[in-house]
Amino acid sequence: MATDTAQLNGDPRRALGQYGERLAARYLRDCGLSILDRNWRCAHGEIDLVARDADCLVFCEVKTRRSERFGAPVEAVDRRKAARLRRLAAAWLQEHEVRPGRIRIDVIGILRPPQGPAVVRHLVGVGP
């Protein structure tokens, strides 16, 4: 893995998160989605990735971990977090004045063990 700004600044957790978001964006592009926005922020929080899948806008939360000692990465997104993502999606839509055909909340879990390749798990359409 190449050295990035977060690693140079001594924040390995942030570097891991950035690595996961880059991998997730590449994964979504490989699946045919187009990335519209990354790390969009407002007063209520942040959306990791916004993508388009045909007529559907996909708001994606990315969770990256080095092990499953505390559970799989996707397990970090509970119902409360999914509901928060829906509120953030509404704020993104309002700011960008977009009227999509459909909206979807996805979660991508990245398991990046110390050795071997990363494992990507994509949950499509999560939330309340």
Side-chain angles (χ1 to χ4, degrees):
M1 182 168 87
T3 302
D4 63 15
T5 305
Q7 285 178 319
L8 293 173
N9 292 334
D11 189 350
R13 284 185 49 171
R14 184 167 178 190
L16 180 65
Q18 290 173 346
Y19 166 83
E21 289 173 6
R22 284 191 309 272
L23 185 60
R26 184 173 40 201
Y27 167 84
L28 290 174
R29 280 192 302 271
D30 289 349
C31 289
L33 283 73
S34 56
I35 305 299
L36 303 178
D37 213 342
R38 292 179 69 161
N39 302 115
W40 179 81
R41 296 176 197 276
C42 70
H44 306 291
E46 176 184 344
I47 299 173
D48 294 329
L49 297 169
V50 181
R52 180 173 298 282
D53 185 7
D55 71 333
C56 184
L57 274 183
V58 180
F59 296 89
C60 189
E61 178 72 8
V62 180
K63 292 295 182 186
T64 309
R65 292 187 175 168
R66 293 197 184 277
S67 77
E68 292 185 307
R69 183 183 326 169
F70 300 107
V74 295
E75 292 173 2
V77 180
D78 57 12
R79 290 174 81 55
R80 190 171 56 111
K81 177 68 173 178
R84 184 169 170 257
L85 288 168
R86 288 207 177 275
R87 289 190 300 274
L88 287 166
W92 188 94
L93 290 167
Q94 184 175 16
E95 180 177 297
H96 292 81
E97 299 179 2
V98 174
R99 301 285 179 246
R102 295 179 298 131
I103 296 172
R104 188 173 85 210
I105 305 291
D106 288 5
V107 176
I108 295 181
I110 309 284
L111 182 61
R112 180 65 176 116
Q115 295 182 351
V119 178
V120 177
R121 183 174 176 203
H122 183 189
L123 301 182
V124 177
V126 302

